[in-house]
Amino acid sequence: MRSWSAAAFMAAALVGGVLLPAVPAAAVHGAVPGDFNGDGYRDAVLPAPGANVSGKEGAGAVVVLYGSASGLSTSRRRTITQNTAGVPGASEAHDAFGATTATADLNRDGYADLVVGTPDEDTSKGTDSGAVTVLWGSRSGLTSGTDLPSPLSSTHRYGEDIAALGLGGGSRTRVAVSAMDATVYFTGPFTRSGTFGSAVDNENTLSPLSVALGDFDGDAVPDLATATFRDTGLSGGDVYVNPAYGNELRGNGLIVAAGDVNGDGFADLVAGDPDEPEKAGVDGATGGRVLVWYGSAAGVTTNTTPVQITQNTAGVPGASEKGDGFGGSLTVADLNRDGLADIVIGSPYEDLARSRAGQVTVVPGRGGGALGTGSYSFSQDTAGVPGAAETDDFFGTTVSVGDVDKDGRPELFVGAAGENNSTGAVWVFPGGATRPTATGSRVITPHAIGLTQGWGTLLGGDGLLSVI
């Protein structure tokens, strides 16, 4: 894998031999499904940050597919852009609206809200200073929005990553936003008129890339975790909980997520470190790795030793090979309904029948014993999965989980940004009796949801592709 500085990656557009759009440069997380219209079914969020809007190249869009007892239908959808009535701003070339998204009921009204990052938006604070918008849920779905303004006097790519988590009213509902130069932490109460409790900026860590929120110490208040861009001579960047210089955790990563992997009531911090090690045996792992720091009454501390998972870990399918990018995308959710959060790991550079075809691995949570037992994987070569593994598909660019048909069995969503000339696609794996299944899986393409351009739509988002 490449090892670039934060400054160097900004100029990159050539990934794995395939020319991807120059913007967005990085877009880490995508939203989980949420019930935006209050009908009892969660609705899927399909970002398309490279979508052309009214002749504006790469202005970006978000497509919501409404959930129902029969699952998702591409005809039951709403496409939202900055030209949509009620949404702040206007669609402009290369804004990358939808590059990052997060879901939570911010104003506690019973409707899920969607937080959308537009990291390449030009504002009065400068070129590519970025913007973050809350689209408010209602009986009619997402129909209006307000901005979450950065308190920084100047910033770059504000909205590069977003996390949102509601554990109760007031300050127990929070939104975290990363920019190239700072992290901004919003606390509730949030209102549809755009007010919020407070906004605090943190400029005490170098170049934050990914953010996550989790209750690592069990006090019912979301805690902030972040991973930075690469440090010189190390795989990945520094990983923090409650970021501040000197609080770096043991281990590295480029993407973070949170969930209770061992079922002890404390959220655990998970980081993807897809880089090749700079120094063998010192950091990183060939082919990439995932690290897990277990939460506790004291939270996640600098003395916490993480558990490492690779494709060479017992029970994990495949084998660690140079350049796999294992850990290049990440989410944590309970897929098998056992009360333990499972770790969903993308390896978008995995070589199968074709180079960089991509693969996704699920590592089940465990209350005891080593992680890895019972792991399984999906690719386009898995029986029952539509399509076929092709060079530079990057299957596993993004991953998310949510139950869209209210049967209690969560669906798995997998994006492949390189599919079909970088128009991208999203695969939906139905929830099964014990885990998602390839049987009945389907692929959603841009054309199926009314996005007709021939190149660079990036349906599903482009994740960390231009970074790793």
Side-chain angles (χ1 to χ4, degrees), residues 26 59 156 193 201 239 257 260 264 267 274 291 306 319 419-420 424 435 442 450:
H156 188 66
S193 63
D201 63 277
V239 179
D260 189 359
D264 64 356
L291 300 178
E419 181 77 12
N420 293 337
R435 68 187 203 189
R442 59 184 296 198

Side-chain angles (χ1 to χ4, degrees), residues 27-433:
V28 185
H29 280 117
V32 300
D35 185 4
F36 303 117
N37 60 0
D39 65 355
Y41 296 94
R42 294 187 180 184
D43 311 312
V45 179
L46 277 61
N52 299 340
V53 180
S54 300
K56 306 296 185 181
E57 182 178 357
V62 172
V63 180
V64 174
L65 297 183
Y66 292 106
S68 70
S70 57
L72 301 174
S73 168
T74 55
S75 63
R76 295 188 67 247
R77 67 179 189 260
R78 177 171 172 78
T79 301
I80 303 170
T81 74
Q82 288 182 291
N83 283 350
T84 299
V87 177
S91 295
E92 299 165 318
H94 308 303
D95 276 351
F97 178 80
T100 50
T101 49
T103 305
D105 181 2
L106 296 183
N107 60 349
R108 315 296 296 173
D109 65 352
Y111 300 99
D113 308 307
L114 183 65
V115 190
V116 181
T118 312
D120 295 309
E121 177 87 3
D122 297 343
T123 74
S124 60
K125 295 183 180 182
T127 301
D128 296 340
S129 54
V132 173
T133 303
V134 180
L135 302 177
W136 298 100
S138 70
R139 182 173 296 182
S140 301
L142 302 172
T143 58
S144 65
T146 57
D147 283 334
L148 279 179
S150 169
L152 299 166
S153 58
S154 63
T155 188
H156 188 66
R157 289 186 57 79
Y158 171 70
E160 189 155 52
D161 195 21
I162 304 170
L165 181 61
L167 298 177
S171 64
R172 292 192 294 168
T173 294
R174 300 189 173 184
V175 174
V177 181
S178 68
M180 281 291 293
D181 38 18
T183 302
V184 180
Y185 197 33
F186 294 90
T187 63
F190 296 88
T191 71
R192 291 181 66 92
S193 63
T195 65
F196 47 85
S198 64
V200 177
D201 63 277
N202 183 334
E203 300 176 74
N204 293 325
T205 56
L206 177 67
S207 300
L209 172 60
S210 176
V211 288
L213 293 168
D215 184 8
F216 303 118
D217 56 9
D219 66 354
V221 176
D223 302 307
L224 172 64
T226 187
T228 71
F229 284 97
R230 297 176 180 88
D231 285 339
T232 302
L234 295 175
S235 69
D238 291 324
V239 179
Y240 298 87
V241 170
N242 301 318
Y245 287 130
N247 283 356
E248 299 91 343
L249 300 180
R250 298 176 178 178
N252 310 97
L254 292 174
I255 182 171
V256 285
D260 189 359
V261 175
N262 61 355
D264 64 356
F266 301 101
D268 308 309
L269 176 62
V270 184
D273 185 15
D275 284 351
E276 297 300 317
E278 291 288 324
K279 302 173 184 177
V282 175
D283 77 319
T286 298
R289 64 178 180 172
V290 166
L291 300 178
V292 182
W293 294 262
Y294 289 111
S296 69
V300 175
T301 72
T302 56
N303 295 322
T304 305
T305 300
V307 173
Q308 176 175 283
I309 305 168
T310 73
Q311 287 184 287
N312 285 343
T313 298
V316 176
S320 296
E321 301 165 318
K322 187 174 182 179
D324 283 345
F326 184 79
S329 63
L330 188 68
T331 195
V332 181
D334 185 3
L335 284 162
N336 58 1
R337 298 167 293 130
D338 64 353
L340 308 174
D342 309 313
I343 305 170
V344 185
I345 305 164
S347 307
Y349 281 81
E350 181 83 22
D351 293 341
L352 300 172
R354 296 287 187 269
S355 299
R356 300 174 298 277
Q359 180 174 279
V360 168
T361 301
V362 179
V363 177
R366 290 176 59 85
L371 291 170
T373 301
S375 298
Y376 54 95
S377 63
F378 294 111
S379 73
Q380 289 188 72
D381 284 344
T382 301
V385 176
E390 299 168 313
T391 300
D392 296 325
D393 275 349
F394 306 118
F395 182 88
T397 302
T398 56
V399 289
S400 61
V401 172
D403 181 6
V404 296
D405 56 8
K406 208 170 68 171
D407 66 354
R409 300 174 177 182
E411 280 71 44
L412 170 63
F413 295 80
V414 178
E419 181 77 12
N420 293 337
N421 206 21
S422 296
T423 56
V426 174
W427 279 255
V428 184
F429 293 83

